[in-house]
Amino acid sequence: MKKELKISSHELYSILKAVGKAVSTKTTMPVLEYFHFKCWNQQLFITGSDLETTITTCTESGEFPAEGEFLIEHKLLMDALKELPEQPITINVDTESFSIEVVHANGKFNVMGLDPSDYPEISTNDGETSPALLSLESHVFVNGLKTALPFVANDELRPIMNGVFCQLQNEKLHFVASNANYLAELVEPNICFPDVEFILSSKASKIISDLADGEDIIELEVGLKNLKATFGDYTVISRFIEGNYPNYKGVIPQNNQNHVLLNVSEFKGALRRTTVFSNKQSNLVTLKTGATNLVINGKDIDLSISATENIACEYSGDDIEIGFKAPFLEQVLKSVDTEEVKLSMKDALGAALFTPVGDDCPNLTLLLMPMMINV
């Protein structure tokens, strides 16, 4: 039986770029290297999946049969459409032989599909318990994921750390990510839903934060093993990372009594300049507190080079000289979008805290572990 679809080449390519974020080229199931197309009720639904994360979207912009489904290889179709200028294209599908012909203004190309019945059925029904239903302003969830993502670990031995921990507790939504060097916690208040918690993989977090950016509302269905996020024309289903997230609150110091108030822009500039002169293996930079200024130093003894910068600050506490790995410190400061930041320290060896300062600043805590200065 023949099926015919008509759609804009650029619109189809744009949709496939988004859906293709879920497709993996390294899979033990060849069928997952294909896009799943399904026509239903004059709409076209397109799905991409790696089983852990699945993206589905739909469009009405085109001419589609009442029903039908087929599979087209992901990379082949993307590469072909990428070279086509904007124009209407026709997709002819033989649902018996699975052969597919794509006709455009200057020619056509033919590919072989697979039996669509081989495509795995993705379901969010992962238990007898009904999922928790959450409806949020999209920017709340997107900002939380984007804030936490740079701090996610990539640890084969501890996969539990390779995602964003989302914890809804006492009407506050916590977004947490950490590795052995730093930690980020963003708290969004006034989220009036039942308490839930889950660990969302970094891949799913990146996909949702990219695709849902700019949408008004995001609907979340939190099951025992899966999250289903619906926003705009997209639905993303992601399997949680299984396990219990470590007690991150236990590593956040509560008694750091030495506080430095700094201008973020000045701090970033001085850090970038001194980092040029730091040892390329250790990337160590040191901060030395003073009553009204902070001294930032980077040096490489082997090359006999060094740099020192002084920036104004407000300081209360004991004199401290503390060392940090420059790229980690830069990442922490990159996550601060206020004019000022407060650096709180206990001593040269304890975890340091960075918190934004200003009107309407986010409830954000950034933790960074120091380095031994004699490294």
Side-chain angles (χ1 to χ4, degrees), residues 95-115:
T95 57
E96 295 179 356
S97 67
F98 313 127
S99 64
I100 298 164
E101 178 185 67
V102 180
V103 181
H104 55 91
N106 298 317
K108 63 181 180 179
F109 56 89
N110 297 84
V111 297
M112 285 300 300
L114 295 178
D115 186 344

Side-chain angles (χ1 to χ4, degrees), residues 139-140 143-144 147-148 173 175 185-189 264 332-342 354-366:
H139 73 86
V140 172
N143 183 57
T147 300
L173 181 54
F175 298 89
E185 180 195 28
L186 177 67
V187 182
E188 292 286 354
V264 175
V332 166
L333 295 178
K334 190 184 297 184
S335 301
V336 177
D337 59 4
T338 54
E339 289 187 5
E340 294 184 311
V341 63
K342 181 173 73 173
F354 296 77
T355 52
V357 176
D359 297 333
D360 300 321
C361 65
N363 189 354
L364 175 63
T365 299
L366 300 163

Side-chain angles (χ1 to χ4, degrees), residues 104-317:
H104 55 91
N106 298 317
K108 63 181 180 179
F109 56 89
N110 297 84
V111 297
M112 285 300 300
L114 295 178
D115 186 344
S117 65
D118 292 336
Y119 201 80
E121 183 177 352
I122 309 298
S123 173
T124 56
N125 184 13
D126 52 19
E128 297 180 359
T129 305
S130 299
L133 305 178
L134 315 179
S135 181
L136 298 170
E137 292 183 9
S138 184
H139 73 86
V140 172
F141 201 64
V142 167
N143 183 57
L145 295 179
K146 286 188 173 183
T147 300
L149 266 170
F151 298 87
V152 170
N154 183 17
D155 191 339
E156 293 182 359
L157 299 179
R158 300 184 69 198
I160 196 76
M161 306 303 295
N162 299 341
V164 177
F165 179 52
C166 302
Q167 182 184 49
L168 183 52
Q169 189 177 62
N170 300 325
E171 298 186 355
K172 293 180 180 179
L173 181 54
H174 303 250
F175 298 89
V176 182
S178 178
N179 63 20
N181 303 295
Y182 42 35
L183 175 148
E185 180 195 28
L186 177 67
V187 182
E188 292 286 354
N190 305 317
I191 309 296
C192 302
F193 292 104
D195 291 357
V196 293
E197 60 182 53
F198 54 88
I199 306 170
L200 197 60
S201 71
S202 57
K203 178 176 180 178
S205 298
K206 181 71 166 58
I207 287 171
I208 293 174
S209 61
D210 284 346
L211 296 182
D213 197 1
E215 298 290 347
D216 293 330
I217 298 294
I218 184 169
E219 305 284 347
L220 304 178
E221 295 183 21
V222 185
L224 295 177
K225 297 181 180 180
N226 296 307
L227 174 75
K228 180 180 179 181
T230 304
F231 46 88
D233 295 326
Y234 290 93
T235 297
V236 178
I237 300 172
S238 178
R239 186 175 298 171
F240 298 141
I241 298 176
E242 295 185 6
N244 296 318
Y245 203 78
N247 177 23
Y248 70 92
K249 292 184 181 295
V251 303
I252 300 177
Q254 304 299 319
N255 57 348
N256 283 6
Q257 71 277 18
N258 303 297
H259 306 290
V260 191
L261 186 64
L262 295 157
N263 178 280
V264 175
S265 180
E266 291 180 4
F267 195 3
K268 285 180 179 178
L271 178 62
R272 283 194 297 267
R273 291 188 292 272
T274 53
T275 299
V276 173
F277 297 86
S278 66
N279 182 277
K280 296 301 181 286
Q281 290 184 326
S282 67
N283 293 122
L284 172 68
V285 294
T286 62
L287 311 180
K288 188 173 183 178
T289 60
T292 59
N293 72 313
L294 182 73
V295 180
I296 306 173
N297 183 58
K299 62 183 177 180
D300 189 330
I301 297 176
D302 295 335
L303 299 179
S304 299
I305 59 175
S306 65
T308 300
E309 295 252 355
N310 289 268
I311 57 173
C313 71
E314 295 179 20
Y315 182 63
S316 61

